[in-house]
Amino acid sequence: MTDVHSKGTLVAVTFGSRHGGPWSGQIVEAQGESVLLGITPTADAIVGKFRTYVAIVTSGGMQRTSRDANTDLYLLFNAWCPQDAVFLADEAARREYVMSDYGVIFQGTVSAMSQRNWMYGQFERGVLDACIYILDASRMPIYNRGNIIQLVRKGSAMINSQDDNGVLVGNWSDDYSMGMPPTSWTGSVKILLQYANTGVSICFAQCWVFAGVFNTFLRCLGIPSRVITNFNSAHDNTGNLKTDLIFKTDGTPDRRNTRDSIWNYHCWNEVFIVRPDLPAGLSGWQVVDATPQETSDGHFRCGPASVTAIKEGLLCHPFDSGFVFAEVNSDVVFHKRDRYGTLSPYRVDKTHVGQGIYTQAVGSPAPMDITHTYKYPEGSADDNRTMARAEEYGCERDHSELPDTQLTVTITAGLVSLGHDVNLAVDFQNQTEHSTTVQAHLAGSVVFYTGVISKSFRDQNFTVTVAANQTERVMFRIPAQEYMPHLGSQLSLQFIVTGQADDQSVSAIKVIEMQTPSLTLMVSGQPQVQQEMIVTVSFTNPFNFPLQGVHLAMEGAGLVTHRTRYYSVIEPLSSISWKESFFPRLDGPRCIVAVLDSISLRQVTSSVLICIVHTGYC
């Protein structure tokens, strides 16, 4: 017979002088035949749902209550308890990383950062049961669910469906006909409830959706967590610290033979936990990632990986530290193929990858730069020590011996609104004592945010002569009508300039994230619990073409459940307005998020903050 007592799945709590199990019991109040009991679990107790029974010993024997679902006890991790594996000392941080049920996820590029509001909704009805269902569906033994390391590792695997029928199906194509586009979600609640009700993986997700839903799962179970965005995130398929970009003899990108990619951004999560399995100093924030990129011990999951260990290059420690280290530290190596097919490196960029790592600030929607927690300043003595240590643990770096470059090229561009022309400035700098003529090429493409080419729209050769010790600027105007027919649902344009002068090769990459129009959200009514309020969403189509198949969605944790509205077409310069009434359920600072999504226009969002009161002040 299984000893359920030793596994912690059956706990006897006694009151008064009677000896019992590890949990403590206290009689708080007794009035007549009614008794109020207090129960204090141990800090390492199993997390989940316990059936609760009360046994009374009398002279006539023992009587026990029957099964009653209304008395089930939910046990979570406790960031307020110093003995708990998730203890977080700072109260403001606990409010943000455990209690806050909405937040901001950063997207775009490091030079043109955009943000997307996300409803975590961990306190919405049914969400906690959905998170426990995920653990049940994973077949994780109940007696292991008090182990924070095993639990977050299992959660990382279960949020994606890649090999275990988990919550979300990833899709990085432009075809979302079999589900919902990743850009159409307002938050986690609908996803989790649908998964728990059907047991069927939900279509579709990309990295910020995986991170948003995982954040809900973690906070719902009491684990301090936050969503992280790494700008220029390397996805290296060869297991080293080199991201290899290959160019043909004529200077054009060799898409077919370039296996590595650089994502404009990639979102993952951090959890704040104790790591008793690691040396001292490596607890605290840990990377966990639910986006299915590579397998870890046979499953698509990542982490927990100590952020401090990543910064120090201590890649021998579990879990997946080397993979995360490469995401933020890879060197970008530019190779050129000669006419015989031989590859030769001609440029190494050690600063492009991991240019900025951000999360939401505590108590504010503003971005907080946490790059310094992952890496030392580029080229510093500490950085060199970290890189040398990483190589000792098997992460190979680039050691190409390249001549000093006396010809360089850079690309600059301002912010570009969707549907407007793009103006590029390409600067060639000649640091030699003689004039030089550059045979150059400009490639323009629509790209997925993962760096993968969707459509190419410009391949242009040009020649520029640069005087000695001078900089020559070449301007390019890309009309909107040139890129718009190829844009589809993507919002990123990538421009690559390559050049050849004498025996020197140069190159530069610029990614432009298009700025989209926004929705207008207005709220009216008395901001008080259970008092009717009205939210109005309005939008004007600013383009000279109709928007077809337009889906609008809104939700607000504690305010309004997920609601949708469909418009078959919004004509050019036409406006739509959508009103919904709601009755606030929870007080405090609240947020409503709205999203507009159509085949030809995505990433249109807006949000509004409301302070809901019972009486008095918020």
Side-chain angles (χ1 to χ4, degrees):
M1 184 175 181
T2 303
D3 186 356
V4 292
H5 286 278
S6 66
K7 292 180 181 294
T9 58
L10 176 62
V11 183
V13 184
T14 58
F15 301 86
S17 59
R18 183 181 176 88
H19 178 73
W23 294 18
S24 63
Q26 180 183 4
I27 298 176
V28 178
E29 182 181 314
Q31 289 186 355
E33 296 182 350
S34 296
V35 179
L36 180 64
L37 304 175
I39 298 174
T40 304
T42 56
D44 60 352
I46 292 170
V47 168
K49 183 164 66 173
F50 288 77
R51 295 178 179 178
T52 305
Y53 301 92
V54 177
I56 302 172
V57 180
T58 66
S59 57
M62 178 181 289
Q63 292 181 320
R64 197 183 81 162
T65 57
S66 59
R67 169 85 173 105
D68 183 356
N70 293 320
T71 63
D72 287 347
L73 182 149
Y74 291 84
L75 189 62
L76 311 178
F77 290 101
N78 186 357
W80 283 258
C81 174
Q83 290 76 42
D84 200 290
V86 304
F87 175 64
L88 183 59
D90 183 76
E91 173 60 24
R94 289 194 295 250
R95 284 198 304 269
E96 182 66 51
Y97 300 136
V98 180
M99 302 301 293
S100 180
D101 54 7
Y102 64 91
V104 173
I105 300 175
F106 298 100
Q107 299 176 314
T109 65
V110 72
S111 59
M113 199 181 304
S114 59
Q115 64 182 49
R116 185 183 189 92
N117 289 83
W118 191 266
M119 283 291 131
Y120 299 125
Q122 66 267 34
F123 302 117
E124 296 302 284
R125 187 172 289 107
V127 170
L128 178 54
D129 282 316
C131 293
I132 294 173
Y133 172 82
I134 291 170
L135 294 177
D136 293 340
S138 75
R139 299 184 179 179
M140 183 182 190
I142 291 177
Y143 54 79
N144 285 342
R145 298 183 190 181
N147 185 315
I148 186 63
I149 297 170
Q150 292 186 36
L151 188 141
V152 298
R153 192 154 168 77
K154 180 62 73 173
S156 170
M158 281 300 297
I159 296 301
N160 71 74
S161 66
Q162 198 76 4
D163 45 28
D164 44 23
N165 296 316
V167 179
L168 286 160
V169 179
N171 185 341
W172 284 267
S173 75
D174 241 348
D175 182 5
Y176 309 119
S177 57
M178 300 301 291
M180 298 282 287
T183 49
S184 67
W185 299 111
T186 53
S188 308
V189 176
K190 182 181 179 182
I191 293 169
L192 289 169
L193 295 183
Q194 184 176 330
Y195 178 72
N197 288 333
T198 65
V200 177
S201 302
I202 308 302
C203 301
F204 291 107
Q206 292 176 0
C207 72
W208 72 90
V209 182
F210 287 112
V213 173
F214 197 14
N215 216 51
T216 300
F217 172 86
L218 295 164
R219 290 187 184 181
C220 191
L221 296 179
I223 304 167
S225 61
R226 58 190 187 183
V227 176
I228 309 299
T229 302
N230 176 36
F231 289 101
N232 293 346
S233 189
H235 187 173
D236 174 47
N237 283 287
T238 49
N240 54 34
L241 293 180
K242 298 186 292 184
T243 298
D244 299 302
L245 305 182
I246 301 172
F247 295 84
K248 300 176 183 177
T249 307
D250 61 2
T252 59
D254 188 345
R255 315 285 188 195
R256 177 175 297 180
N257 292 299
T258 298
R259 296 177 57 202
D260 296 343
S261 62
I262 303 172
W263 295 26
N264 298 350
Y265 63 89
H266 177 50
C267 298
W268 58 68
N269 301 78
E270 285 181 1
V271 292
F272 194 90
I273 64 174
V274 172
R275 291 295 300 270
D277 58 323
L278 301 184
L282 300 184
S283 294
W285 289 114
Q286 315 281 315
V287 173
V288 285
D289 191 349
T291 299
Q293 297 183 88
E294 303 290 339
T295 57
S296 173
D297 294 336
H299 297 272
F300 280 92
R301 57 186 172 184
C302 180
S306 167
V307 173
T308 301
I310 292 164
K311 182 175 182 177
E312 299 297 335
L314 299 170
L315 308 186
C316 56
H317 300 301
F319 296 87
D320 311 308
S321 299
F323 181 78
V324 181
F325 187 88
E327 287 184 297
V328 300
N329 283 301
S330 279
D331 297 333
V332 182
V333 184
F334 296 78
H335 301 267
K336 192 168 186 179
R337 188 184 303 278
D338 65 18
R339 59 180 178 173
Y340 303 108
T342 304
L343 289 178
S344 301
Y346 67 88
R347 181 191 169 205
V348 178
D349 190 337
K350 296 181 180 296
T351 63
H352 184 74
V353 168
Q355 278 191 9
I357 304 170
Y358 287 83
T359 190
Q360 181 182 345
V362 173
S364 164
M368 180 170 68
D369 188 345
I370 59 168
T371 311
H372 64 280
T373 67
Y374 281 81
K375 54 203 295 189
Y376 289 104
E378 189 73 38
S380 66
D382 288 330
D383 180 57
N384 292 335
R385 185 193 69 240
T386 290
M387 291 301 177
R389 186 180 288 148
E391 283 202 283
E392 292 175 3
Y393 291 119
C395 283
E396 179 188 353
R397 294 188 71 199
D398 180 79
H399 292 285
S400 303
E401 295 185 3
L402 302 177
D404 292 337
T405 303
Q406 294 183 307
L407 179 67
T408 60
V409 61
T410 57
I411 309 172
T412 56
L415 296 178
V416 181
S417 296
L418 183 64
H420 289 67
D421 297 349
V422 179
N423 292 299
L424 295 177
V426 180
D427 293 313
F428 292 88
Q429 185 178 21
N430 177 14
Q431 297 175 328
T432 69
E433 298 298 328
H434 58 83
S435 177
T436 186
T437 299
V438 184
Q439 302 298 324
H441 180 269
L442 170 66
S445 307
V446 175
V447 295
F448 297 95
Y449 82 98
T450 57
V452 175
I453 299 296
S454 173
K455 301 283 186 181
S456 295
F457 58 82
R458 177 169 288 207
D459 279 295
Q460 179 179 349
N461 295 318
F462 62 100
T463 302
V464 57
T465 299
V466 190
N469 295 308
Q470 295 294 315
T471 297
E472 187 70 26
R473 169 167 288 188
V474 182
M475 296 297 300
F476 292 92
R477 177 176 166 274
I478 316 294
Q481 58 265 31
E482 182 175 341
Y483 69 80
M484 284 294 287
H486 308 284
L487 205 56
S489 63
Q490 304 310 309
L491 293 173
S492 298
L493 303 182
Q494 181 190 77
F495 295 95
I496 300 179
V497 171
T498 54
Q500 184 77 31
D502 301 326
D503 58 349
Q504 292 191 82
S505 296
V506 294
S507 59
I509 300 176
K510 178 68 176 180
V511 175
I512 298 174
E513 187 82 4
M514 312 300 288
Q515 307 295 300
T516 59
S518 61
L519 298 171
T520 300
L521 253 67
M522 295 183 64
V523 175
S524 59
Q526 186 69 27
Q528 195 169 344
V529 171
Q530 294 304 325
Q531 295 296 311
E532 184 178 24
M533 299 187 70
I534 303 293
V535 57
T536 303
V537 184
S538 55
F539 175 76
T540 299
N541 177 7
F543 305 110
N544 60 3
F545 55 86
L547 299 176
Q548 296 181 331
V550 179
H551 293 267
L552 268 177
M554 73 164 77
E555 86 175 280
L559 296 176
V560 55
T561 57
H562 187 273
R563 301 181 189 181
T564 60
R565 177 67 63 90
Y566 176 76
Y567 297 88
S568 59
V569 63
I570 303 178
E571 297 292 347
L573 304 180
S574 295
S575 299
I576 55 99
S577 183
W578 171 31
K579 290 186 178 183
E580 288 281 347
S581 69
F582 64 96
F583 294 82
R585 183 172 60 88
L586 299 176
D587 63 355
R590 300 277 131 207
C591 180
I592 296 178
V593 173
V595 173
L596 180 147
D597 196 83
S598 72
I599 295 174
S600 54
L601 181 63
R602 305 203 188 279
Q603 299 279 33
V604 178
T605 68
S606 188
S607 64
V608 61
L609 294 174
I610 318 168
C611 190
I612 303 296
V613 299
H614 275 292
T615 56
Y617 296 97
C618 183

